[in-house]
Amino acid sequence: MEPRRPDPDALLATVPSEKRGRLKLYLGMAAGVGKTYAMLSDAREAKKRGDEVVIGYLEPHDRPDTIAQAEGLEVISPKLIEHKGVRLAELNVEAVIEAGSAICLVDELAHSNAPGSRHAKRWQDIEDLLDAGIEVWTTVNIQHIESLRDIIAQVTGVFVQETVPDSFIERADEIELVDIPPEALQQRLREGKIYAPEKIEQALSQFFGKGNLLALRELALRHTAERVDEELLKSRRTQLAVEPWHARERILVCVAPNSMARRIVRASRRLATSLKADFLAVSVSSPRQSPSEQGKLELEAAMTLAEQLGAKTATLAGGDVVGELIRFAQSENVTTIVMGKPIKPRWREYLFGSVVDHTVRASGDIDVLVVTGKPEKAEVRPAKNQGKWDWRGSAEALLWVAAASWLGVLVETDVQPANVIMLYLIGVVAVSLRYDRFSSMVCALGSVLAYNFYFTEPRYTLHVYDFRDLITFGVMLAVSLILSSLTARLKEQNRALSERERNTGALYSLSQALAATRSKTEMARSAVGAIRTLTGADAAVLRVDSSGSIKVLEESELGFEKDAKESAVGEWVIEHGKPAGATTNTLAGSAGWYLPLRGAGKTFGAIAVKVENAADWRIDKRHLVEAIANQLTTAIERAQFAKESHQATLKAESEQLRSDLLSSVSHDLRTPLASITGSASVLEIQPELTSQSRELAATIREESNRLERLVRNLLDMTRIQGKVELKLDWYALDEVVESAVSRTADLFDQPVQVESPSEPIMVKVDGLLIEQVLVNLLENASRHAGRHTGVTIRLSQAKGFALIEFEDQGPGISPDRQPHVFDRFESSGAVGSGLGLAIAKAAVEAHGGTLDLIPSAVGAQFEIRIPLGEEVDDE
């Protein structure tokens, strides 16, 4: 059986990014276990090993042992921010990056920054340090992990406000558990090593109770154990120690507009983490359901939380909630659907059905997990102007009732009572189409009362003598309410379809506009117009020009993006490639929301959207702007690629024309040059010539030889630019070098030194072409360093390559010319064509090797690497 090869993706995943810094977490079950002390101890050891360590932020809590451990370590001065008359110390991100140390210590990961800081949370500051390539060591307690928030509240009775997203914790390269027994922690608390004396008894009786500490310790141990298991599995995969895995688990949470929504999202995240599963979140909008304003806000908060926890989110729409949910789950290959336990009264489930029950029956092979729990205390509040009573709807409802009553009295003697009832139902439908459900209910109830008053005995009273009239009233009221509900649903569905059609039409028009132009300005103008149409917000587009400066590609109507503060936010977004500004936790004090235009590997601009009220920017509205940003990014990239392709075509055609011209001229020059050289050589040896004439003949011969070498280089360049047919054979490398040295012996006043190993190095190359490479290097050294310079060539072999190290003792190559030394027609003076080194590099690369310039303080140094005995593919 053939051994199984390792998964390349798994191997690449184990290789750390060269740019991003490492993240090490010191995790504890509670304050006082010694996280900061352990971090400082490790830092002192790292400093002894020679690592550069700085303290970015430290909170010693006046603990002598901690303060002692920090002595001797460099401390970056914190940034002081004044808030309400108090100066608050925060992590100075800019100073830490400027210091450029290898390791930075940042205490209290879950800390919330003071208003006016760059980011709302400290973990976001650490993201900036990591992106700058700095390794960060930080501390955090188990209760601050977002997905454990509900469990911590259930165990301790404390609902933690400051949390860190699980996605950030999962990106840690190393987690070190700092653990002590609960009894030891309580003893430290009694000794005053954690809190002030007046807080000790309260802490022991509440959060630091033994039961709480045992539960927190178990959570910390489990979290660390899961991380260890993940690292172990990763290691076993790279070492081929396990069989292939089955399909990956995918967890889908169905988010409903109620107070349990965020609890369900956090529970689903914990499940996905424990199963190492993909995490998805979806909400379904249906005209059959009409959530309250509070429910809509709860849904928005839960979907935003799901995004922060790393979920892929989607919003569906349709009349069949269960059908839409199951179809989405099947299309995404979901293995488990997580839903909340129904909180509606049981009688409503009997009358209207239960989404949970229907999902269980329709799920097929998909598992359905129902999560229970108490609804959370509302943390979001509807705006004051939402849900305001519209008196006009109620007034029109009463007018419809009066009109139906008047018309009914007129035709009562000519029609049946049922026809009169139909007049009232017409009014209910009319009000339902124009106003809210409350107005339609007013119309329905008013219709029943009016029919009783005008058309049942005893008339002009609300008394009911006949029991059958009660049945009539009940049926009439029920039909009115049903009509009202159906009409309201139809109106809501039409509104949703109209909005979807409007959004789809606007995005389609935008795609057509972007496809019809190659002007970046026109593209930006179309994108800004689409944002204004779909969201009603002002917008602008920023771009990075060729010099690296940030310019405004399309201005907003108010020009808000030109403000110095807003410009700084735009620069940050483009530099880091992340959204920021209003509606986010990064630079939230900005007047605009900034989205990066990130293409293939780089950010070339940003979209700035003016945000008047952050509460109005719900997730579906943000997704629209993100879709526009993606379309604009794709269009700009397409235009850029088209421009580069056109330039490349023109360059190729120009190069081909120049090559044909050079080849033609070079061939025509070789014959007269040969005649001139031969004639000059004959004249030079004629005895009757004077010494002055003989010197002139020698000059003609030397210059003819130089011109012949130029022509030869031109022919070699045109040959190498085409399809190079290498005549490969085995050669002793030292013999090739000696042949090149012999051909150029007259260019130097002293012999070229060749250092080679005792055993010959055999290479399979085109001998004449490699010899020409060395000749070009030697001619280049003689031309620019002078005949008097010393040249040394060293031969060796390593790792399947033959190495040729070439160095001279001349003035060297200036730093500004080094990046262009292999460019064609690049020459430092009047002598030389600037083709020798370009030809040499092309010839070596045709063999699958490399020719590099090695920076040196004295002279010029080159290194040639040629594969040993490899068949070179010249296709």
Side-chain angles (χ1 to χ4, degrees), residues 666 669-684 695-713 746-747 779 783:
S666 299
L669 288 175
R670 297 194 76 174
T671 299
L673 277 175
S675 300
I676 293 172
T677 303
S679 300
S681 299
V682 172
L683 285 174
E684 190 177 2
E695 288 179 0
L696 291 173
T699 301
I700 294 173
R701 176 181 57 79
E702 291 174 357
E703 292 302 314
S704 297
N705 286 334
R706 189 172 70 85
L707 188 58
E708 192 275 334
R709 286 196 296 270
L710 172 61
V711 172
R712 186 185 67 228
N713 282 338
D746 60 337
L747 299 179
E779 289 179 348
R783 184 179 304 115

Coordinates of all heavy atoms in Angstrom, one line a residue, residues 666 669-684 695-713 746-747 779 783:
S666 N 22.4 44.1 -36.4 CA 23.6 43.4 -35.9 C 24.2 42.4 -37.0 O 25.4 42.4 -37.2 CB 23.3 42.6 -34.7 OG 22.8 43.4 -33.7
L669 N 26.1 44.4 -39.6 CA 27.3 45.0 -39.1 C 28.5 44.0 -39.0 O 29.6 44.5 -39.0 CB 27.1 45.7 -37.7 CG 26.3 47.0 -37.7 CD1 26.0 47.4 -36.3 CD2 27.0 48.1 -38.5
R670 N 28.2 42.8 -38.8 CA 29.2 41.8 -38.5 C 30.3 41.7 -39.7 O 31.5 41.6 -39.5 CB 28.7 40.4 -38.2 CG 27.8 40.4 -37.0 CD 27.5 39.0 -36.5 NE 28.7 38.5 -35.9 CZ 28.6 37.3 -35.2 NH1 27.5 36.6 -35.2 NH2 29.7 36.8 -34.7
T671 N 29.8 41.7 -40.9 CA 30.7 41.6 -42.1 C 31.7 42.8 -42.2 O 32.9 42.6 -42.3 CB 29.9 41.4 -43.4 OG1 29.1 40.2 -43.3 CG2 30.8 41.3 -44.6
P672 N 31.2 44.0 -42.2 CA 32.1 45.1 -42.3 C 33.0 45.2 -41.1 O 34.2 45.6 -41.2 CB 31.2 46.4 -42.4 CG 29.9 45.9 -42.0 CD 29.8 44.5 -42.3
L673 N 32.5 44.8 -39.9 CA 33.4 44.8 -38.7 C 34.5 43.8 -38.8 O 35.7 44.1 -38.4 CB 32.6 44.5 -37.5 CG 31.8 45.7 -36.8 CD1 30.9 45.2 -35.7 CD2 32.7 46.8 -36.4
A674 N 34.2 42.7 -39.4 CA 35.3 41.7 -39.6 C 36.3 42.2 -40.5 O 37.6 42.0 -40.3 CB 34.7 40.4 -40.1
S675 N 35.9 42.9 -41.6 CA 36.9 43.4 -42.6 C 37.7 44.5 -41.9 O 39.0 44.6 -42.1 CB 36.1 44.0 -43.8 OG 35.4 43.0 -44.4
I676 N 37.1 45.4 -41.1 CA 37.8 46.5 -40.5 C 38.9 45.9 -39.5 O 40.0 46.3 -39.4 CB 36.9 47.4 -39.7 CG1 36.0 48.1 -40.8 CG2 37.6 48.4 -38.9 CD1 34.9 49.0 -40.1
T677 N 38.4 44.9 -38.7 CA 39.4 44.3 -37.7 C 40.5 43.6 -38.4 O 41.7 43.8 -38.0 CB 38.6 43.3 -36.9 OG1 37.5 43.9 -36.2 CG2 39.5 42.7 -35.8
G678 N 40.2 42.9 -39.5 CA 41.3 42.2 -40.2 C 42.3 43.2 -40.9 O 43.5 43.0 -40.8
S679 N 41.7 44.2 -41.5 CA 42.6 45.2 -42.1 C 43.5 45.9 -41.1 O 44.7 46.2 -41.3 CB 41.7 46.2 -42.9 OG 41.0 45.6 -43.9
A680 N 42.9 46.3 -40.0 CA 43.7 47.0 -38.9 C 44.8 46.1 -38.4 O 45.9 46.5 -38.1 CB 42.7 47.4 -37.8
S681 N 44.5 44.8 -38.3 CA 45.5 43.8 -37.8 C 46.7 43.7 -38.7 O 47.8 43.7 -38.3 CB 44.9 42.5 -37.5 OG 43.8 42.5 -36.6
V682 N 46.4 43.7 -40.1 CA 47.4 43.6 -41.1 C 48.2 44.9 -41.1 O 49.5 44.9 -41.2 CB 46.8 43.4 -42.5 CG1 47.9 43.5 -43.6 CG2 46.2 42.0 -42.5
L683 N 47.6 46.0 -41.0 CA 48.3 47.3 -41.0 C 49.2 47.4 -39.8 O 50.3 48.0 -39.9 CB 47.3 48.5 -41.0 CG 46.6 48.8 -42.3 CD1 45.5 49.9 -42.1 CD2 47.6 49.3 -43.4
E684 N 48.8 46.9 -38.7 CA 49.5 47.0 -37.4 C 50.9 46.4 -37.5 O 51.8 46.8 -36.8 CB 48.7 46.5 -36.3 CG 49.2 46.8 -34.9 CD 48.3 46.3 -33.8 OE1 47.3 45.6 -34.1 OE2 48.7 46.5 -32.6
E695 N 50.1 52.9 -33.8 CA 49.2 53.1 -32.6 C 47.8 53.3 -33.1 O 46.8 52.9 -32.5 CB 49.7 54.3 -31.8 CG 50.9 54.0 -31.0 CD 51.4 55.2 -30.2 OE1 50.7 56.3 -30.3 OE2 52.5 55.2 -29.6
L696 N 47.6 54.1 -34.2 CA 46.3 54.3 -34.8 C 45.7 53.0 -35.2 O 44.5 52.8 -35.0 CB 46.4 55.3 -35.9 CG 46.7 56.8 -35.5 CD1 46.9 57.7 -36.8 CD2 45.6 57.4 -34.6
A697 N 46.5 52.2 -35.9 CA 45.9 50.9 -36.3 C 45.5 50.0 -35.1 O 44.5 49.3 -35.2 CB 47.0 50.2 -37.2
A698 N 46.3 50.1 -34.0 CA 46.0 49.3 -32.8 C 44.7 49.8 -32.2 O 43.8 49.0 -31.8 CB 47.1 49.3 -31.8
T699 N 44.5 51.1 -32.3 CA 43.3 51.7 -31.7 C 42.1 51.2 -32.5 O 41.0 50.9 -32.0 CB 43.3 53.2 -31.7 OG1 44.5 53.6 -30.9 CG2 42.1 53.8 -31.2
I700 N 42.2 51.2 -33.9 CA 41.1 50.8 -34.8 C 40.8 49.3 -34.4 O 39.6 49.0 -34.4 CB 41.5 50.9 -36.2 CG1 41.7 52.4 -36.6 CG2 40.5 50.3 -37.2 CD1 42.2 52.7 -38.0
R701 N 41.8 48.5 -34.3 CA 41.6 47.1 -34.0 C 40.8 46.9 -32.6 O 39.9 46.1 -32.5 CB 42.9 46.3 -34.0 CG 42.7 44.8 -33.6 CD 44.1 44.2 -33.6 NE 45.0 44.8 -32.7 CZ 45.0 44.6 -31.3 NH1 44.1 43.9 -30.8 NH2 45.9 45.3 -30.6
E702 N 41.3 47.6 -31.6 CA 40.7 47.5 -30.3 C 39.2 47.9 -30.3 O 38.4 47.3 -29.7 CB 41.5 48.2 -29.2 CG 42.9 47.7 -29.0 CD 43.7 48.5 -28.1 OE1 43.2 49.6 -27.7 OE2 44.8 48.2 -27.7
E703 N 39.0 49.1 -30.9 CA 37.6 49.6 -31.0 C 36.7 48.7 -31.8 O 35.5 48.5 -31.5 CB 37.6 51.0 -31.5 CG 38.2 52.0 -30.5 CD 37.6 52.0 -29.2 OE1 36.3 52.0 -29.1 OE2 38.3 52.0 -28.1
S704 N 37.3 48.1 -32.9 CA 36.5 47.2 -33.7 C 36.1 46.0 -32.9 O 35.0 45.4 -33.0 CB 37.3 46.8 -34.9 OG 37.5 47.9 -35.7
N705 N 37.1 45.5 -32.1 CA 36.8 44.3 -31.2 C 35.7 44.7 -30.2 O 34.8 43.8 -29.9 CB 38.1 43.9 -30.5 CG 39.0 43.2 -31.4 OD1 38.6 42.6 -32.4 ND2 40.3 43.2 -31.1
R706 N 35.8 45.9 -29.6 CA 34.7 46.3 -28.7 C 33.4 46.4 -29.4 O 32.3 45.9 -28.8 CB 35.1 47.6 -28.0 CG 34.2 48.0 -26.9 CD 34.7 49.2 -26.2 NE 34.5 50.4 -27.0 CZ 33.4 51.2 -27.0 NH1 32.3 50.8 -26.3 NH2 33.3 52.2 -27.8
L707 N 33.4 46.9 -30.6 CA 32.1 47.0 -31.3 C 31.6 45.6 -31.7 O 30.4 45.4 -31.7 CB 32.3 47.9 -32.6 CG 31.0 48.2 -33.4 CD1 30.0 49.0 -32.5 CD2 31.4 49.1 -34.6
E708 N 32.5 44.7 -32.0 CA 32.1 43.3 -32.3 C 31.5 42.6 -31.1 O 30.5 41.9 -31.2 CB 33.3 42.5 -32.8 CG 33.0 41.2 -33.5 CD 32.9 40.1 -32.4 OE1 33.5 40.2 -31.4 OE2 32.1 39.1 -32.7
R709 N 32.0 42.9 -29.9 CA 31.4 42.4 -28.7 C 30.0 42.9 -28.5 O 29.1 42.2 -28.0 CB 32.3 42.6 -27.5 CG 33.6 41.8 -27.5 CD 34.2 41.8 -26.1 NE 34.7 43.2 -25.7 CZ 35.9 43.7 -26.0 NH1 36.8 42.9 -26.6 NH2 36.2 44.9 -25.6
L710 N 29.8 44.2 -28.8 CA 28.5 44.8 -28.6 C 27.5 44.2 -29.6 O 26.4 43.8 -29.2 CB 28.6 46.3 -28.9 CG 27.3 47.1 -29.0 CD1 26.5 47.0 -27.7 CD2 27.5 48.6 -29.4
V711 N 27.9 44.0 -30.8 CA 27.1 43.3 -31.8 C 26.7 41.9 -31.3 O 25.6 41.4 -31.4 CB 27.7 43.3 -33.2 CG1 26.9 42.5 -34.2 CG2 27.8 44.7 -33.7
R712 N 27.8 41.2 -30.8 CA 27.5 39.8 -30.3 C 26.5 39.8 -29.2 O 25.6 38.9 -29.1 CB 28.9 39.2 -29.9 CG 28.7 37.7 -29.5 CD 30.1 37.2 -28.9 NE 30.4 37.9 -27.7 CZ 31.5 38.4 -27.4 NH1 32.5 38.4 -28.2 NH2 31.7 39.0 -26.2
N713 N 26.6 40.8 -28.3 CA 25.7 40.9 -27.2 C 24.3 41.2 -27.7 O 23.3 40.6 -27.1 CB 26.1 42.0 -26.2 CG 27.2 41.6 -25.3 OD1 27.4 40.4 -25.1 ND2 27.9 42.5 -24.7
D746 N 43.5 39.3 -21.8 CA 44.1 40.6 -22.1 C 43.3 41.8 -21.6 O 43.7 43.0 -21.8 CB 44.1 40.7 -23.7 CG 42.7 40.7 -24.3 OD1 41.8 40.1 -23.6 OD2 42.5 41.2 -25.4
L747 N 42.2 41.6 -20.8 CA 41.5 42.7 -20.2 C 42.0 43.1 -18.9 O 41.6 44.1 -18.3 CB 40.0 42.3 -20.1 CG 39.3 42.0 -21.4 CD1 37.8 41.6 -21.1 CD2 39.3 43.2 -22.4
E779 N 34.2 41.0 -18.5 CA 34.2 42.2 -19.2 C 33.6 43.3 -18.4 O 34.1 44.5 -18.5 CB 33.5 42.0 -20.6 CG 34.2 41.1 -21.5 CD 33.4 40.9 -22.8 OE1 32.2 41.3 -22.8 OE2 34.0 40.4 -23.8
R783 N 35.6 46.7 -17.4 CA 35.1 48.0 -17.9 C 34.9 49.0 -16.8 O 35.2 50.2 -16.9 CB 33.8 47.8 -18.7 CG 33.3 49.0 -19.4 CD 32.0 48.7 -20.1 NE 32.2 47.6 -21.1 CZ 31.6 46.4 -21.1 NH1 30.8 46.1 -20.1 NH2 31.9 45.5 -22.0

